[in-house]
Amino acid sequence: MQDITTALEEMIDRHGLTHVVAGLSLICSEKADYIRANFQDRVTAKAWDADARGLLQCARLICTDSK
């Protein structure tokens, strides 16, 4: 757990929290697309899409709050 925490902290320091959270949102969205295309698993893809939307909303709030 320490390794991932350190890696995330370094990414946040380098790129900013908004960009890291937005990047996670993009990864979730791409995972949803991959699952839909390769496994035809709509339930799992829908969960990844919901995570993507939630993270994107968080990124927008972080960006708004930091101004």
Short mmCIF file of all heavy atoms in Angstrom, two decimals:
data_model
loop_
_atom_site.label_atom_id
_atom_site.label_comp_id
_atom_site.label_asym_id
_atom_site.label_seq_id
_atom_site.Cartn_x
_atom_site.Cartn_y
_atom_site.Cartn_z
N MET A 1 0.83 -1.20 0.00
CA MET A 1 0.00 0.00 0.00
C MET A 1 0.86 1.25 0.00
O MET A 1 0.50 2.24 -0.61
CB MET A 1 -0.94 -0.05 1.21
CG MET A 1 -1.97 1.01 1.21
SD MET A 1 -3.10 0.75 -0.17
CE MET A 1 -4.35 1.87 0.23
N GLN A 2 1.98 1.19 0.67
CA GLN A 2 2.88 2.35 0.74
C GLN A 2 3.38 2.74 -0.64
O GLN A 2 3.49 3.92 -0.95
CB GLN A 2 4.05 2.06 1.68
CG GLN A 2 4.99 3.23 1.88
CD GLN A 2 4.34 4.41 2.59
OE1 GLN A 2 3.42 4.26 3.36
NE2 GLN A 2 4.82 5.60 2.30
N ASP A 3 3.69 1.74 -1.49
CA ASP A 3 4.20 2.03 -2.82
C ASP A 3 3.20 2.80 -3.66
O ASP A 3 3.55 3.76 -4.33
CB ASP A 3 4.58 0.73 -3.54
CG ASP A 3 5.81 0.06 -2.94
OD1 ASP A 3 6.56 0.74 -2.22
OD2 ASP A 3 5.99 -1.13 -3.17
N ILE A 4 1.94 2.37 -3.63
CA ILE A 4 0.92 3.06 -4.42
C ILE A 4 0.66 4.46 -3.88
O ILE A 4 0.48 5.41 -4.64
CB ILE A 4 -0.39 2.24 -4.52
CG1 ILE A 4 -1.37 2.89 -5.49
CG2 ILE A 4 -1.09 2.10 -3.19
CD1 ILE A 4 -1.12 2.52 -6.91
N THR A 5 0.70 4.60 -2.57
CA THR A 5 0.50 5.91 -1.96
C THR A 5 1.62 6.87 -2.36
O THR A 5 1.36 8.02 -2.73
CB THR A 5 0.42 5.78 -0.43
OG1 THR A 5 -0.65 4.90 -0.10
CG2 THR A 5 0.18 7.12 0.24
N THR A 6 2.83 6.37 -2.32
CA THR A 6 3.98 7.20 -2.71
C THR A 6 3.89 7.57 -4.18
O THR A 6 4.12 8.73 -4.55
CB THR A 6 5.29 6.45 -2.41
OG1 THR A 6 5.34 6.15 -1.01
CG2 THR A 6 6.50 7.27 -2.80
N ALA A 7 3.53 6.61 -5.03
CA ALA A 7 3.41 6.88 -6.46
C ALA A 7 2.33 7.92 -6.74
O ALA A 7 2.52 8.83 -7.55
CB ALA A 7 3.13 5.59 -7.22
N LEU A 8 1.19 7.78 -6.07
CA LEU A 8 0.10 8.76 -6.25
C LEU A 8 0.52 10.14 -5.78
O LEU A 8 0.24 11.15 -6.44
CB LEU A 8 -1.15 8.30 -5.52
CG LEU A 8 -1.94 7.18 -6.19
CD1 LEU A 8 -3.00 6.63 -5.23
CD2 LEU A 8 -2.58 7.67 -7.47
N GLU A 9 1.19 10.20 -4.65
CA GLU A 9 1.64 11.49 -4.14
C GLU A 9 2.60 12.16 -5.12
O GLU A 9 2.50 13.37 -5.38
CB GLU A 9 2.32 11.32 -2.78
CG GLU A 9 2.75 12.63 -2.17
CD GLU A 9 3.38 12.50 -0.80
OE1 GLU A 9 3.58 11.36 -0.33
OE2 GLU A 9 3.66 13.54 -0.19
N GLU A 10 3.51 11.39 -5.69
CA GLU A 10 4.44 11.93 -6.68
C GLU A 10 3.72 12.43 -7.92
O GLU A 10 4.06 13.49 -8.46
CB GLU A 10 5.48 10.88 -7.05
CG GLU A 10 6.46 10.58 -5.93
CD GLU A 10 7.37 9.40 -6.22
OE1 GLU A 10 7.25 8.78 -7.31
OE2 GLU A 10 8.19 9.09 -5.34
N MET A 11 2.70 11.69 -8.38
CA MET A 11 1.93 12.13 -9.55
C MET A 11 1.17 13.41 -9.24
O MET A 11 1.10 14.32 -10.07
CB MET A 11 0.97 11.03 -10.01
CG MET A 11 1.68 9.92 -10.73
SD MET A 11 0.57 8.78 -11.60
CE MET A 11 -0.43 8.13 -10.30
N ILE A 12 0.58 13.50 -8.05
CA ILE A 12 -0.16 14.70 -7.66
C ILE A 12 0.78 15.88 -7.57
O ILE A 12 0.46 16.98 -8.03
CB ILE A 12 -0.92 14.46 -6.33
CG1 ILE A 12 -2.06 13.47 -6.55
CG2 ILE A 12 -1.45 15.78 -5.77
CD1 ILE A 12 -2.66 12.92 -5.28
N ASP A 13 1.96 15.66 -6.98
CA ASP A 13 2.94 16.75 -6.89
C ASP A 13 3.38 17.22 -8.27
O ASP A 13 3.57 18.41 -8.49
CB ASP A 13 4.17 16.29 -6.09
CG ASP A 13 3.90 16.11 -4.61
OD1 ASP A 13 2.84 16.59 -4.13
OD2 ASP A 13 4.74 15.49 -3.93
N ARG A 14 3.52 16.30 -9.20
CA ARG A 14 4.01 16.62 -10.53
C ARG A 14 2.93 17.21 -11.43
O ARG A 14 3.17 18.16 -12.18
CB ARG A 14 4.59 15.37 -11.18
CG ARG A 14 5.33 15.64 -12.48
CD ARG A 14 6.04 14.40 -13.03
NE ARG A 14 6.81 13.73 -12.00
CZ ARG A 14 6.68 12.42 -11.71
NH1 ARG A 14 5.85 11.66 -12.39
NH2 ARG A 14 7.41 11.87 -10.76
N HIS A 15 1.71 16.66 -11.35
CA HIS A 15 0.67 17.02 -12.31
C HIS A 15 -0.53 17.75 -11.71
O HIS A 15 -1.33 18.30 -12.45
CB HIS A 15 0.16 15.76 -13.03
CG HIS A 15 1.24 15.00 -13.70
ND1 HIS A 15 1.89 15.44 -14.83
CD2 HIS A 15 1.82 13.81 -13.39
CE1 HIS A 15 2.80 14.56 -15.20
NE2 HIS A 15 2.78 13.56 -14.34
N GLY A 16 -0.68 17.70 -10.41
CA GLY A 16 -1.83 18.32 -9.76
C GLY A 16 -2.96 17.31 -9.55
O GLY A 16 -3.12 16.37 -10.34
N LEU A 17 -3.69 17.51 -8.47
CA LEU A 17 -4.76 16.59 -8.11
C LEU A 17 -5.84 16.51 -9.18
O LEU A 17 -6.31 15.42 -9.52
CB LEU A 17 -5.36 16.98 -6.76
CG LEU A 17 -6.46 16.07 -6.21
CD1 LEU A 17 -5.94 14.65 -6.05
CD2 LEU A 17 -6.98 16.62 -4.89
N THR A 18 -6.22 17.64 -9.75
CA THR A 18 -7.27 17.65 -10.76
C THR A 18 -6.90 16.75 -11.94
O THR A 18 -7.72 15.94 -12.39
CB THR A 18 -7.53 19.08 -11.26
OG1 THR A 18 -7.91 19.89 -10.16
CG2 THR A 18 -8.62 19.11 -12.32
N HIS A 19 -5.67 16.86 -12.43
CA HIS A 19 -5.25 16.07 -13.59
C HIS A 19 -5.14 14.58 -13.25
O HIS A 19 -5.46 13.73 -14.10
CB HIS A 19 -3.94 16.59 -14.15
CG HIS A 19 -4.05 17.93 -14.79
ND1 HIS A 19 -4.86 18.16 -15.89
CD2 HIS A 19 -3.50 19.12 -14.49
CE1 HIS A 19 -4.78 19.42 -16.24
NE2 HIS A 19 -3.97 20.04 -15.39
N VAL A 20 -4.71 14.26 -12.05
CA VAL A 20 -4.61 12.86 -11.67
C VAL A 20 -6.00 12.24 -11.59
O VAL A 20 -6.24 11.15 -12.12
CB VAL A 20 -3.84 12.69 -10.34
CG1 VAL A 20 -3.91 11.25 -9.84
CG2 VAL A 20 -2.39 13.14 -10.50
N VAL A 21 -6.94 12.93 -10.98
CA VAL A 21 -8.31 12.40 -10.86
C VAL A 21 -8.96 12.32 -12.24
O VAL A 21 -9.63 11.33 -12.56
CB VAL A 21 -9.15 13.25 -9.87
CG1 VAL A 21 -10.59 12.79 -9.85
CG2 VAL A 21 -8.54 13.19 -8.47
N ALA A 22 -8.75 13.33 -13.09
CA ALA A 22 -9.28 13.29 -14.45
C ALA A 22 -8.67 12.12 -15.23
O ALA A 22 -9.36 11.45 -16.02
CB ALA A 22 -9.03 14.61 -15.16
N GLY A 23 -7.39 11.86 -15.02
CA GLY A 23 -6.74 10.73 -15.67
C GLY A 23 -7.33 9.40 -15.23
O GLY A 23 -7.53 8.49 -16.05
N LEU A 24 -7.62 9.28 -13.94
CA LEU A 24 -8.27 8.07 -13.44
C LEU A 24 -9.65 7.89 -14.07
O LEU A 24 -10.06 6.78 -14.40
CB LEU A 24 -8.39 8.11 -11.92
CG LEU A 24 -7.07 7.98 -11.15
CD1 LEU A 24 -7.29 8.28 -9.67
CD2 LEU A 24 -6.48 6.61 -11.34
N SER A 25 -10.35 9.00 -14.26
CA SER A 25 -11.65 8.95 -14.92
C SER A 25 -11.52 8.42 -16.34
O SER A 25 -12.30 7.56 -16.77
CB SER A 25 -12.28 10.35 -14.94
OG SER A 25 -13.44 10.36 -15.71
N LEU A 26 -10.52 8.90 -17.06
CA LEU A 26 -10.29 8.43 -18.43
C LEU A 26 -9.97 6.94 -18.45
O LEU A 26 -10.47 6.19 -19.31
CB LEU A 26 -9.16 9.23 -19.07
CG LEU A 26 -8.79 8.86 -20.49
CD1 LEU A 26 -9.97 9.03 -21.44
CD2 LEU A 26 -7.60 9.67 -20.95
N ILE A 27 -9.14 6.49 -17.52
CA ILE A 27 -8.80 5.07 -17.44
C ILE A 27 -10.06 4.23 -17.22
O ILE A 27 -10.26 3.20 -17.86
CB ILE A 27 -7.76 4.82 -16.34
CG1 ILE A 27 -6.41 5.42 -16.75
CG2 ILE A 27 -7.64 3.32 -16.04
CD1 ILE A 27 -5.40 5.50 -15.63
N CYS A 28 -10.92 4.67 -16.31
CA CYS A 28 -12.17 3.94 -16.04
C CYS A 28 -13.04 3.87 -17.29
O CYS A 28 -13.61 2.82 -17.61
CB CYS A 28 -12.95 4.60 -14.91
SG CYS A 28 -12.20 4.42 -13.28
N SER A 29 -13.13 4.97 -18.01
CA SER A 29 -13.93 5.01 -19.23
C SER A 29 -13.37 4.06 -20.29
O SER A 29 -14.12 3.33 -20.95
CB SER A 29 -13.97 6.44 -19.77
OG SER A 29 -14.76 6.52 -20.91
N GLU A 30 -12.05 4.06 -20.42
CA GLU A 30 -11.42 3.16 -21.39
C GLU A 30 -11.60 1.69 -21.00
O GLU A 30 -11.77 0.83 -21.86
CB GLU A 30 -9.95 3.51 -21.55
CG GLU A 30 -9.76 4.84 -22.28
CD GLU A 30 -8.31 5.31 -22.32
OE1 GLU A 30 -7.45 4.70 -21.64
OE2 GLU A 30 -8.05 6.29 -23.03
N LYS A 31 -11.56 1.40 -19.70
CA LYS A 31 -11.80 0.03 -19.24
C LYS A 31 -13.23 -0.39 -19.58
O LYS A 31 -13.46 -1.52 -20.00
CB LYS A 31 -11.55 -0.09 -17.73
CG LYS A 31 -10.06 -0.09 -17.37
CD LYS A 31 -9.84 -0.30 -15.91
CE LYS A 31 -9.74 -1.72 -15.50
NZ LYS A 31 -8.78 -2.58 -16.13
N ALA A 32 -14.18 0.52 -19.40
CA ALA A 32 -15.57 0.21 -19.74
C ALA A 32 -15.69 -0.13 -21.22
O ALA A 32 -16.34 -1.12 -21.59
CB ALA A 32 -16.46 1.39 -19.38
N ASP A 33 -15.06 0.68 -22.07
CA ASP A 33 -15.11 0.42 -23.51
C ASP A 33 -14.48 -0.93 -23.85
O ASP A 33 -15.02 -1.69 -24.67
CB ASP A 33 -14.38 1.53 -24.27
CG ASP A 33 -15.09 2.86 -24.21
OD1 ASP A 33 -16.30 2.89 -23.88
OD2 ASP A 33 -14.44 3.89 -24.49
N TYR A 34 -13.36 -1.23 -23.24
CA TYR A 34 -12.66 -2.49 -23.49
C TYR A 34 -13.53 -3.69 -23.07
O TYR A 34 -13.64 -4.67 -23.81
CB TYR A 34 -11.33 -2.51 -22.73
CG TYR A 34 -10.56 -3.78 -22.93
CD1 TYR A 34 -9.76 -3.96 -24.05
CD2 TYR A 34 -10.62 -4.81 -21.99
CE1 TYR A 34 -9.05 -5.14 -24.25
CE2 TYR A 34 -9.92 -5.99 -22.18
CZ TYR A 34 -9.14 -6.15 -23.31
OH TYR A 34 -8.44 -7.32 -23.48
N ILE A 35 -14.14 -3.58 -21.90
CA ILE A 35 -14.99 -4.68 -21.41
C ILE A 35 -16.19 -4.88 -22.32
O ILE A 35 -16.54 -6.01 -22.66
CB ILE A 35 -15.42 -4.40 -19.95
CG1 ILE A 35 -14.21 -4.54 -19.02
CG2 ILE A 35 -16.55 -5.33 -19.52
CD1 ILE A 35 -14.42 -3.98 -17.64
N ARG A 36 -16.80 -3.78 -22.75
CA ARG A 36 -17.95 -3.87 -23.66
C ARG A 36 -17.54 -4.55 -24.98
O ARG A 36 -18.25 -5.41 -25.48
CB ARG A 36 -18.51 -2.48 -23.96
CG ARG A 36 -19.82 -2.19 -23.30
CD ARG A 36 -20.44 -0.90 -23.78
NE ARG A 36 -19.59 0.26 -23.61
CZ ARG A 36 -19.45 0.94 -22.48
NH1 ARG A 36 -20.12 0.59 -21.41
NH2 ARG A 36 -18.65 1.97 -22.42
N ALA A 37 -16.40 -4.15 -25.51
CA ALA A 37 -15.96 -4.65 -26.81
C ALA A 37 -15.48 -6.10 -26.76
O ALA A 37 -15.70 -6.86 -27.71
CB ALA A 37 -14.85 -3.76 -27.37
N ASN A 38 -14.83 -6.48 -25.69
CA ASN A 38 -14.17 -7.78 -25.66
C ASN A 38 -14.90 -8.85 -24.85
O ASN A 38 -14.67 -10.04 -25.06
CB ASN A 38 -12.74 -7.63 -25.12
CG ASN A 38 -11.88 -6.86 -26.08
OD1 ASN A 38 -11.52 -7.35 -27.13
ND2 ASN A 38 -11.59 -5.61 -25.74
N PHE A 39 -15.75 -8.44 -23.94
CA PHE A 39 -16.43 -9.41 -23.09
C PHE A 39 -17.95 -9.30 -23.14
O PHE A 39 -18.65 -10.11 -22.56
CB PHE A 39 -15.96 -9.28 -21.63
CG PHE A 39 -14.49 -9.51 -21.47
CD1 PHE A 39 -13.62 -8.45 -21.31
CD2 PHE A 39 -13.96 -10.78 -21.52
CE1 PHE A 39 -12.25 -8.65 -21.16
CE2 PHE A 39 -12.60 -11.01 -21.37
CZ PHE A 39 -11.75 -9.92 -21.20
N GLN A 40 -18.46 -8.25 -23.80
CA GLN A 40 -19.90 -8.01 -23.88
C GLN A 40 -20.56 -8.06 -22.50
O GLN A 40 -21.68 -8.52 -22.34
CB GLN A 40 -20.59 -8.99 -24.84
CG GLN A 40 -20.20 -8.83 -26.29
CD GLN A 40 -18.83 -9.40 -26.62
OE1 GLN A 40 -18.47 -10.47 -26.15
NE2 GLN A 40 -18.06 -8.68 -27.42
N ASP A 41 -19.84 -7.58 -21.51
CA ASP A 41 -20.33 -7.57 -20.12
C ASP A 41 -20.83 -6.16 -19.81
O ASP A 41 -20.08 -5.30 -19.36
CB ASP A 41 -19.20 -7.99 -19.18
CG ASP A 41 -19.63 -8.04 -17.72
OD1 ASP A 41 -20.75 -7.59 -17.39
OD2 ASP A 41 -18.83 -8.53 -16.90
N ARG A 42 -22.11 -5.94 -20.08
CA ARG A 42 -22.68 -4.61 -19.89
C ARG A 42 -22.73 -4.18 -18.43
O ARG A 42 -22.59 -3.00 -18.14
CB ARG A 42 -24.09 -4.57 -20.48
CG ARG A 42 -24.11 -4.71 -21.97
CD ARG A 42 -25.53 -4.61 -22.48
NE ARG A 42 -25.58 -4.99 -23.88
CZ ARG A 42 -26.69 -5.28 -24.51
NH1 ARG A 42 -27.83 -5.25 -23.87
NH2 ARG A 42 -26.65 -5.61 -25.78
N VAL A 43 -22.94 -5.10 -17.54
CA VAL A 43 -23.05 -4.77 -16.11
C VAL A 43 -21.72 -4.22 -15.59
O VAL A 43 -21.68 -3.16 -14.95
CB VAL A 43 -23.50 -6.00 -15.30
CG1 VAL A 43 -23.45 -5.71 -13.81
CG2 VAL A 43 -24.89 -6.44 -15.72
N THR A 44 -20.64 -4.92 -15.87
CA THR A 44 -19.32 -4.46 -15.41
C THR A 44 -18.93 -3.17 -16.11
O THR A 44 -18.41 -2.25 -15.48
CB THR A 44 -18.26 -5.55 -15.65
OG1 THR A 44 -18.67 -6.74 -14.94
CG2 THR A 44 -16.90 -5.12 -15.15
N ALA A 45 -19.19 -3.08 -17.41
CA ALA A 45 -18.88 -1.86 -18.16
C ALA A 45 -19.65 -0.66 -17.60
O ALA A 45 -19.11 0.43 -17.46
CB ALA A 45 -19.18 -2.04 -19.64
N LYS A 46 -20.90 -0.90 -17.24
CA LYS A 46 -21.72 0.17 -16.67
C LYS A 46 -21.14 0.65 -15.34
O LYS A 46 -21.13 1.85 -15.06
CB LYS A 46 -23.16 -0.33 -16.49
CG LYS A 46 -24.13 0.73 -16.09
CD LYS A 46 -25.55 0.16 -16.05
CE LYS A 46 -26.54 1.21 -15.61
NZ LYS A 46 -27.90 0.67 -15.57
N ALA A 47 -20.62 -0.27 -14.54
CA ALA A 47 -20.00 0.10 -13.26
C ALA A 47 -18.75 0.95 -13.50
O ALA A 47 -18.53 1.97 -12.81
CB ALA A 47 -19.66 -1.14 -12.46
N TRP A 48 -17.93 0.57 -14.48
CA TRP A 48 -16.74 1.36 -14.80
C TRP A 48 -17.14 2.74 -15.33
O TRP A 48 -16.49 3.75 -15.01
CB TRP A 48 -15.86 0.63 -15.80
CG TRP A 48 -15.00 -0.42 -15.17
CD1 TRP A 48 -15.16 -1.77 -15.26
CD2 TRP A 48 -13.86 -0.22 -14.33
NE1 TRP A 48 -14.18 -2.41 -14.53
CE2 TRP A 48 -13.37 -1.49 -13.95
CE3 TRP A 48 -13.20 0.91 -13.86
CZ2 TRP A 48 -12.25 -1.64 -13.13
CZ3 TRP A 48 -12.09 0.75 -13.04
CH2 TRP A 48 -11.63 -0.51 -12.69
N ASP A 49 -18.18 2.81 -16.14
CA ASP A 49 -18.67 4.11 -16.62
C ASP A 49 -19.14 5.00 -15.47
O ASP A 49 -18.87 6.20 -15.46
CB ASP A 49 -19.82 3.92 -17.62
CG ASP A 49 -19.35 3.58 -19.02
OD1 ASP A 49 -18.22 3.96 -19.39
OD2 ASP A 49 -20.13 2.94 -19.75
N ALA A 50 -19.82 4.41 -14.51
CA ALA A 50 -20.28 5.18 -13.34
C ALA A 50 -19.09 5.70 -12.56
O ALA A 50 -19.10 6.86 -12.11
CB ALA A 50 -21.18 4.31 -12.46
N ASP A 51 -18.07 4.88 -12.39
CA ASP A 51 -16.86 5.33 -11.71
C ASP A 51 -16.20 6.47 -12.47
O ASP A 51 -15.74 7.45 -11.88
CB ASP A 51 -15.87 4.18 -11.54
CG ASP A 51 -16.35 3.13 -10.55
OD1 ASP A 51 -17.23 3.44 -9.72
OD2 ASP A 51 -15.85 1.99 -10.62
N ALA A 52 -16.16 6.35 -13.79
CA ALA A 52 -15.57 7.41 -14.63
C ALA A 52 -16.31 8.72 -14.44
O ALA A 52 -15.69 9.78 -14.27
CB ALA A 52 -15.59 6.99 -16.10
N ARG A 53 -17.63 8.66 -14.46
CA ARG A 53 -18.43 9.88 -14.28
C ARG A 53 -18.22 10.49 -12.89
O ARG A 53 -18.08 11.71 -12.75
CB ARG A 53 -19.92 9.59 -14.50
CG ARG A 53 -20.29 9.43 -15.96
CD ARG A 53 -21.81 9.38 -16.16
NE ARG A 53 -22.47 8.36 -15.36
CZ ARG A 53 -22.59 7.08 -15.71
NH1 ARG A 53 -22.08 6.65 -16.85
NH2 ARG A 53 -23.22 6.23 -14.93
N GLY A 54 -18.17 9.64 -11.88
CA GLY A 54 -17.96 10.13 -10.52
C GLY A 54 -16.61 10.80 -10.36
O GLY A 54 -16.50 11.87 -9.75
N LEU A 55 -15.58 10.18 -10.91
CA LEU A 55 -14.24 10.78 -10.82
C LEU A 55 -14.15 12.07 -11.60
O LEU A 55 -13.51 13.04 -11.15
CB LEU A 55 -13.19 9.78 -11.31
CG LEU A 55 -12.88 8.64 -10.35
CD1 LEU A 55 -12.13 7.52 -11.06
CD2 LEU A 55 -12.10 9.15 -9.14
N LEU A 56 -14.79 12.12 -12.77
CA LEU A 56 -14.77 13.35 -13.56
C LEU A 56 -15.47 14.48 -12.81
O LEU A 56 -15.01 15.63 -12.80
CB LEU A 56 -15.42 13.13 -14.93
CG LEU A 56 -15.30 14.28 -15.91
CD1 LEU A 56 -13.85 14.65 -16.16
CD2 LEU A 56 -15.98 13.92 -17.22
N GLN A 57 -16.57 14.15 -12.16
CA GLN A 57 -17.27 15.16 -11.36
C GLN A 57 -16.38 15.64 -10.21
O GLN A 57 -16.32 16.83 -9.93
CB GLN A 57 -18.58 14.61 -10.82
CG GLN A 57 -19.40 15.65 -10.09
CD GLN A 57 -20.79 15.17 -9.73
OE1 GLN A 57 -21.17 14.05 -10.05
NE2 GLN A 57 -21.54 16.01 -9.06
N CYS A 58 -15.67 14.73 -9.57
CA CYS A 58 -14.73 15.12 -8.51
C CYS A 58 -13.65 16.03 -9.05
O CYS A 58 -13.30 17.04 -8.42
CB CYS A 58 -14.09 13.88 -7.88
SG CYS A 58 -15.18 12.92 -6.84
N ALA A 59 -13.10 15.71 -10.22
CA ALA A 59 -12.06 16.54 -10.82
C ALA A 59 -12.58 17.95 -11.08
O ALA A 59 -11.89 18.93 -10.83
CB ALA A 59 -11.55 15.90 -12.11
N ARG A 60 -13.80 18.04 -11.57
CA ARG A 60 -14.39 19.36 -11.83
C ARG A 60 -14.58 20.15 -10.53
O ARG A 60 -14.34 21.36 -10.49
CB ARG A 60 -15.73 19.22 -12.54
CG ARG A 60 -15.57 18.77 -13.97
CD ARG A 60 -16.91 18.61 -14.66
NE ARG A 60 -16.75 18.19 -16.04
CZ ARG A 60 -17.56 17.38 -16.67
NH1 ARG A 60 -18.62 16.90 -16.06
NH2 ARG A 60 -17.33 17.05 -17.93
N LEU A 61 -15.01 19.47 -9.49
CA LEU A 61 -15.18 20.13 -8.20
C LEU A 61 -13.84 20.59 -7.62
O LEU A 61 -13.74 21.69 -7.07
CB LEU A 61 -15.87 19.21 -7.20
CG LEU A 61 -17.35 18.95 -7.46
CD1 LEU A 61 -17.87 17.84 -6.54
CD2 LEU A 61 -18.16 20.22 -7.26
N ILE A 62 -12.81 19.77 -7.77
CA ILE A 62 -11.49 20.14 -7.28
C ILE A 62 -11.01 21.38 -8.03
O ILE A 62 -10.49 22.31 -7.43
CB ILE A 62 -10.49 18.98 -7.46
CG1 ILE A 62 -10.87 17.82 -6.53
CG2 ILE A 62 -9.07 19.44 -7.19
CD1 ILE A 62 -10.17 16.51 -6.88
N CYS A 63 -11.20 21.37 -9.34
CA CYS A 63 -10.77 22.49 -10.17
C CYS A 63 -11.51 23.76 -9.77
O CYS A 63 -10.91 24.83 -9.66
CB CYS A 63 -11.01 22.16 -11.64
SG CYS A 63 -10.40 23.40 -12.77
N THR A 64 -12.81 23.65 -9.54
CA THR A 64 -13.61 24.81 -9.15
C THR A 64 -13.22 25.32 -7.78
O THR A 64 -13.10 26.52 -7.56
CB THR A 64 -15.11 24.42 -9.16
OG1 THR A 64 -15.46 23.97 -10.46
CG2 THR A 64 -15.98 25.61 -8.79
N ASP A 65 -12.99 24.40 -6.84
CA ASP A 65 -12.64 24.78 -5.47
C ASP A 65 -11.26 25.41 -5.37
O ASP A 65 -11.00 26.18 -4.46
CB ASP A 65 -12.73 23.58 -4.53
CG ASP A 65 -14.16 23.16 -4.24
OD1 ASP A 65 -15.08 23.96 -4.56
OD2 ASP A 65 -14.35 22.05 -3.72
N SER A 66 -10.38 25.08 -6.30
CA SER A 66 -9.00 25.60 -6.21
C SER A 66 -8.86 26.99 -6.78
O SER A 66 -7.82 27.60 -6.68
CB SER A 66 -8.04 24.64 -6.90
OG SER A 66 -8.29 24.60 -8.28
N LYS A 67 -9.92 27.52 -7.37
CA LYS A 67 -9.85 28.88 -7.97
C LYS A 67 -10.16 29.93 -6.96
O LYS A 67 -10.75 29.84 -5.99
CB LYS A 67 -10.81 28.98 -9.15
CG LYS A 67 -10.33 28.15 -10.31
CD LYS A 67 -11.26 28.33 -11.48
CE LYS A 67 -10.76 27.50 -12.65
NZ LYS A 67 -11.57 27.60 -13.80
#
